[in-house]
Amino acid sequence: MSTAWPALREELDLLAGPVLPDGQPSWTLHDPVRNLFFQLDWASFEVFKRWHFGAAEAIVQDVNAQTTLTLHQEDVNALFQFAQRNDLLEPLPNSAGTLAERWQSRRSSWMQWLLHNYLFFRVPLIKPDRWLTRWAPRLDFLFSRTFAWITLLALCAGLWGVSRAWGVFTATLVDSLTWQGLAAYGLTLGFVKVLHELGHGLTAKRFGCRVPTMGVAFLVLWPVAYTDTNEVWKLTRRDQRLKVAGAGIATELIIAAWALLAWVWLPEGAPKSMAFLLATTTWVSTLVINASPFMRFDGYFLLSDFLQMPNLHSRAFALARWDMRERLFKLGEPPPEFFSNAKRRGLILFAWATWIYRLVLFLGIAALVYHFFVKALGILLFLVEIVWFIAKPVWSEISAWSSRWPQIVRSRRARWSAVGAFVLVALCWLPMPAPIRTEGMLQSSDIWPLHALDASQLQQQILGNADTITLDAPVFVLNSPALKAAQAQNDAQRIQYSQQIAAAGFDSELRRDWQVLQERQLQAATQQQAVETEASRYRLNASGAGVLRDVDPDLRSGDWLARNELLGRVVGRDRLEVLAYVQEEDVQRISTGDSAIFIADAGVGPVLDLRVRSVDQDASRTLSEAALSSAAGGMIQVRSMQSTLYPERPVYRVVLDVVTPLEADTDFQHRWRGKVAIRGRWEAAASQFVKTATSVFWREAGF
C-alpha cells in the first residue's frame, strides 16, 4: 500500500501508558466519542507518530532509520487495517457511499439484534460523575490506613463473638432458609451490589477518572449491576488500576466485617437480622461471583491488570487454540504471542479452565431457561444458549481446521491424532463391563411378625431380643380380661350343671330336666374347648426358626397392649434376599441369573454374593422400602403423599437371592441397607448416553 491514506481523527487523545512486562513503553489511544481505549506498543506508537507521512514505505524507512526497531511494510498495512476497522481515521472526500455500505454491513437483522439483546444488554440508569465528584473528598477516610486497621480489628472482634455464639449463628442461618428469608437475602444482595458499584466509582474518581454511567446489565436476562470505569485506562500506574478493579470486592468484605461485629452486639430484632444477612451474603457472593476470573467480572480485570495483559480471555483462548492445533497436527505455525514457557503453560491452562467453567455454567443456564419458560419458548431459548455459547465456538474452530486442511493432510502428527480419535470413538462404542450400581435392602425371605390380639395384657415374655428361636417355641404369653371373664363364667356353668345332674336322683323336678341338663353340660364342655382354643392364641409361638428381633426393651410383664401391636419379629436365617431398585435406562441390561454383590453401608455388615431372582417388567408405582428413599438418605428421589412414597423417576424392583451364606457368628439383624453392584449385560458408554438422551427427549416432548 504505497498510496496515501486518511489522516487520524483529530479528537483522538494519546496518553502515556505503563511499562509493558517486556520493558518497552506503552501508550493509550483514547476515542472520546465512544469512550474506547486502545493500548499501543512502541512500534505502533512510532507508526502513528509518522502517520502524516501518508505512505507505508515512507513510514517504514523513517522508523527503521530513526529507531532501533525493524519494521516491514506488512506491519504498517496491518496497523492501517486495524485503524480502519475501529473507525480511527478521518473519512476521505466523496466516501459517503463507502461509509454507508460499511455501516449497512455492520447492521444486523432484527433476529440477530433480538438474539444479541437477549444474551446481553445494558440499561444505564444514572450519571453519577457529578455526585461522585462532590462526595469523593468527604469519603476519603475510607481509603486510609487507619480505617483499614480499624476494620481488621472489627473483623477479629466479630469472629471472636461468633465463635462464642456459634450455635445461635448456625441456627439463625437454618431459620433463614425460608421463602421470606430468601426474599430478604435477595433484597440485601441488591443493596450490597449497589454499594459494590459505588466502591468502583469512588475509587476511580479518587484517581481522577470520569464515571459517566451506572446501571444494570442483563446477562441472559439475569440482572448484574455495572459501573462504566473505562477511563482507568488513562492511569499509568498498574497499582491504581488494580485498586479500582478490586474496590468492589473490598467494599463487600468491609461491609461483611462490620456487619459481623454488629450482629454480635445488637439486640434481637430487625437490625440484628439485617446485620446477619449482610455478614453472610456479602463475602459469599463477592468471592463466588465477583472474584471469579472465568467471567468478565472483577476477578478477571484484577488478573488482567496484575498480568498486564489486556483482553486476557481472547489472548489466552488464541494461545490455547494454537497449542491444541500443534498438539493434534504439528503444523509448525508460530504462536499468536511469545511468552516464557511457564507463562504460556499457565495461560493455556487458564483458557481450558475458563472453557470448562463456561460450558458447565451455560449448560446450567440453558437448563434453567428451559424449565422456567413456557415449554415451546424454553426449547427455543435452550437451543439459542447451546448454539451461541457452545456450538458456535466449536464450529469456528472446525472452520479454522478446514482452512488448514492441506497442511493437516500432510502432517504425520495429524495421522496419529486421527488414529487416536478413531480408537477413542471405537472405545466409546465398544461394549464394556460396566456394573449397574444401586442401593438395596438385605433381609430375610422368612419373617414372622408377632402381634397382640385385641386389647390384652402381657403376662410373660419368655424370650428376649436377639435370642435364637426354634419352630413353635413360645415367646409371649398374654392375658385377655374378656377371655378370663368368659372362662370364669363357663366354669361356673359347668359346675352348676354337674351339681344339678348329680342331685337329679333325689329331686323329681331335676330328674324331669335331666336330659336338658345333659345337653347344657355338653354345650358348656364344647364352649370350654372353644375358650381353651382362644386362650392358646394368646400364647404367641414362633411360626418358624430364626432370631427374635424388634422387641421393645421397655416392655414389662403387666403392660397393656393395643390391638395388633407389634411385639417382635422372628427372622429366619436360612433364606436371605436383597430388594433393590434400578433406573429405567439400566433395567434392560439385567436378566434373571445375573450375579451381583452386596456391601452393607459403613462396612458394619456382611459382604455377600447375589444372584438375580426376578426383575419387574413394570415400574414401581410406590416405594415400600422407605429406607431406600432420599428422605432417609437413600438414592431414590421420592415425593410423599398421605404417608405413601412415590418415586420421582421410573424405577424397577429387582429381587436377588443371597448365594453366600451368613457366617455363624454374624450379629444378624433382619434388615441391612447397602450398595448393590449387578454384573449386567455389557454396554457401550456412547450407547447408554444416546439411550438416556433419547429417553429425556421423548419424555420432555410429551410423546
Side-chain angles (χ1 to χ4, degrees):
M1 184 181 299
S2 57
T3 59
W5 53 49
L8 291 170
R9 287 166 44 200
E10 293 183 357
E11 66 271 20
L12 297 179
D13 296 328
L14 190 62
L15 310 170
V19 177
L20 298 181
D22 57 2
Q24 66 171 312
S26 72
W27 288 261
T28 301
L29 187 67
H30 178 214
D31 182 354
V33 176
R34 296 175 294 169
N35 199 32
L36 295 179
F37 295 83
F38 304 90
Q39 189 177 66
L40 305 179
D41 58 7
W42 182 22
S44 301
F45 169 75
E46 294 294 341
V47 172
F48 279 132
K49 183 179 178 181
R50 295 164 175 81
W51 199 262
H52 60 278
F53 287 1
E57 295 177 356
I59 293 175
V60 168
Q61 291 176 2
D62 193 71
V63 170
N64 292 341
Q66 299 296 329
T67 68
T68 57
L69 294 170
T70 302
L71 296 183
H72 301 88
Q73 189 171 341
E74 293 78 9
D75 301 325
V76 180
N77 291 336
L79 191 60
F80 175 86
Q81 294 174 1
F82 165 79
Q84 194 174 43
R85 285 194 308 269
N86 290 279
D87 297 324
L88 302 178
L89 305 177
E90 291 283 357
L92 292 172
N94 302 322
S95 62
T98 304
L99 293 175
E101 291 178 1
R102 188 187 305 172
W103 178 79
Q104 190 67 29
S105 64
R106 292 179 180 177
R107 288 189 63 188
S108 57
S109 64
W110 67 270
M111 185 174 295
Q112 290 176 326
W113 178 89
L114 183 62
L115 174 64
H116 182 268
N117 283 275
Y118 157 67
L119 296 174
F120 180 80
F121 66 94
R122 284 184 172 184
V123 179
L125 297 178
I126 60 173
K127 296 181 179 180
D129 193 68
R130 293 178 60 185
W131 182 87
L132 291 174
T133 302
R134 184 169 64 253
W135 279 94
R138 304 177 186 180
L139 299 176
D140 201 49
F141 70 93
L142 296 174
F143 300 89
S144 64
R145 290 179 177 269
T146 303
F147 180 75
W149 281 109
I150 294 175
T151 302
L152 183 60
L153 291 175
L155 175 62
C156 294
L159 292 174
W160 175 76
V162 169
S163 67
R164 298 190 62 186
W166 181 248
V168 179
F169 188 83
T170 54
T172 306
L173 179 62
V174 173
D175 293 340
S176 64
L177 297 180
T178 61
W179 286 112
Q180 294 82 359
L182 293 177
Y185 266 109
L187 293 175
T188 304
L189 187 61
F191 171 73
V192 168
K193 291 307 175 185
V194 171
L195 296 180
H196 175 109
E197 298 304 324
L198 286 176
H200 286 302
L202 282 172
T203 308
K205 178 56 64 176
R206 188 167 181 266
F207 295 131
C209 298
R210 187 172 65 93
V211 183
T213 60
M214 294 177 65
V216 179
F218 289 87
L219 178 63
V220 196
L221 302 182
W222 183 262
V224 180
Y226 81 93
T227 301
D228 186 351
T229 57
N230 280 343
E231 286 209 3
V232 298
W233 286 104
K234 292 181 177 180
L235 302 176
T236 58
R237 290 172 50 185
R238 184 180 62 165
D239 63 314
Q240 291 179 342
R241 294 204 305 270
L242 286 172
K243 289 178 181 178
V244 174
I249 295 176
T251 300
E252 294 197 39
L253 294 178
I254 290 171
I255 293 172
W258 285 100
L260 197 66
L261 180 63
W263 181 87
V264 172
W265 292 104
L266 285 174
E268 293 295 333
K272 189 180 184 73
S273 300
M274 180 60 69
F276 176 83
L277 293 177
L278 290 172
T280 54
T281 300
T282 50
W283 69 271
V284 173
S285 64
T286 194
L287 293 181
V288 172
I289 300 175
N290 295 102
S292 171
F294 304 124
M295 299 294 290
R296 294 180 67 86
F297 297 137
D298 295 347
Y300 165 76
F301 294 106
L302 280 170
L303 182 62
S304 178
D305 286 333
F306 177 77
L307 298 176
Q308 290 186 290
M309 288 189 65
N311 301 319
L312 175 61
H313 276 165
S314 58
R315 295 166 72 178
F317 295 165
L319 191 63
R321 288 192 294 266
W322 167 83
D323 179 73
M324 180 174 59
R325 294 168 194 158
E326 289 302 307
R327 291 181 184 277
L328 292 177
F329 310 128
K330 201 173 184 178
L331 301 177
E333 295 181 347
E337 297 182 72
F338 290 93
F339 301 101
S340 65
N341 291 335
K343 191 171 185 178
R344 182 173 66 184
R345 286 193 296 268
L347 289 173
I348 292 171
L349 291 175
F350 172 72
W352 279 102
T354 303
W355 286 338
I356 294 172
Y357 175 87
R358 290 187 176 184
L359 175 64
V360 175
L361 177 65
F362 293 144
L363 285 176
I365 292 175
L368 288 176
V369 166
Y370 170 75
H371 286 290
F372 279 97
F373 285 86
V374 179
K375 179 164 286 190
L377 181 60
I379 293 174
L380 176 62
L381 298 181
F382 177 86
L383 292 176
V384 167
E385 301 282 330
I386 298 300
V387 170
W388 185 269
F389 291 119
I390 299 175
K392 185 179 179 181
V394 172
W395 179 253
S396 176
E397 182 61 22
I398 292 175
S399 300
W401 293 3
S402 177
S403 64
R404 295 168 173 80
W405 186 249
Q407 299 94 317
I408 292 176
V409 171
R410 294 192 298 269
S411 172
R412 184 178 180 183
R413 175 74 63 82
R415 290 192 287 271
W416 280 109
S417 297
V419 171
F422 176 79
V423 171
L424 182 62
V425 172
L427 288 175
C428 289
W429 287 97
L430 183 67
M432 302 292 287
I436 301 163
R437 304 183 185 277
T438 183
E439 278 189 336
M441 293 296 301
L442 171 65
Q443 62 185 28
S444 174
S445 300
D446 302 317
I447 300 177
W448 299 279
L450 300 171
H451 294 279
L453 301 174
D454 300 325
S456 55
Q457 185 181 31
L458 178 63
Q459 178 179 340
Q460 182 183 6
Q461 178 180 334
I462 301 175
L463 297 173
N465 199 48
D467 286 347
T468 302
I469 299 177
T470 59
L471 178 62
D472 291 331
V475 183
F476 297 100
V477 179
L478 310 180
N479 286 328
S480 171
L483 187 62
K484 277 188 173 183
Q487 189 172 6
Q489 182 180 2
N490 189 69
D491 289 341
Q493 289 178 349
R494 283 192 306 105
I495 295 173
Q496 179 183 357
Y497 295 148
S498 298
Q499 291 176 348
Q500 289 177 347
I501 291 173
F506 306 100
D507 189 333
S508 59
E509 187 175 349
L510 292 176
R511 190 182 308 115
R512 187 175 59 251
D513 296 333
W514 183 84
Q515 186 68 32
V516 176
L517 293 174
Q518 287 284 353
E519 292 177 1
R520 290 180 178 178
Q521 187 181 35
L522 182 60
Q523 290 176 356
T526 303
Q527 190 172 358
Q528 176 65 23
Q529 292 179 356
V531 170
E532 291 177 355
T533 302
E534 182 68 15
S536 66
R537 295 178 59 235
Y538 285 82
R539 187 180 181 88
L540 304 183
N541 298 339
S543 299
V547 178
L548 183 62
R549 288 289 180 186
D550 297 338
V551 178
D552 187 353
D554 296 328
L555 198 61
R556 297 290 184 270
S557 297
D559 289 348
W560 288 95
L561 308 173
R563 182 177 182 182
N564 292 329
E565 180 178 344
L566 179 65
L567 302 180
R569 292 184 178 91
V570 179
V571 181
R573 292 178 57 106
D574 297 332
R575 294 195 309 161
L576 301 178
E577 65 182 14
V578 172
L579 300 180
Y581 292 84
V582 298
Q583 302 293 334
E584 185 177 18
E585 57 269 18
D586 295 327
V587 69
Q588 300 299 327
R589 297 175 51 199
I590 303 175
S591 302
T592 303
D594 287 345
S595 59
I597 189 173
F598 173 86
I599 303 175
D601 283 349
V604 297
V607 177
L608 303 172
D609 292 329
L610 311 174
R611 194 167 303 279
V612 176
R613 183 203 304 171
S614 64
V615 182
D616 287 357
Q617 298 302 310
D618 297 324
S620 299
R621 298 181 181 275
T622 60
L623 182 68
S624 56
E625 287 73 24
L628 298 179
S629 68
S630 56
M635 297 173 57
I636 303 177
Q637 297 293 329
V638 297
R639 65 181 185 277
S640 179
M641 295 178 60
Q642 298 180 352
S643 302
T644 303
L645 300 178
Y646 296 91
E648 292 284 358
R649 296 184 57 192
V651 291
Y652 292 77
R653 190 170 184 263
V654 180
V655 183
L656 306 100
D657 290 322
V658 175
V659 177
T660 307
L662 281 177
E663 298 180 2
D665 57 347
T666 301
D667 184 17
F668 183 71
Q669 62 184 42
H670 72 281
R671 303 196 88 187
W672 265 298
R673 188 176 72 181
K675 300 296 185 293
V676 177
I678 305 173
R679 300 179 183 91
R681 187 175 66 252
W682 290 16
E683 187 176 35
S687 174
Q688 185 176 6
F689 173 78
V690 170
K691 287 196 301 184
T692 302
T694 304
S695 174
V696 171
F697 171 78
W698 283 99
R699 183 180 70 246
E700 296 298 329
F703 295 111

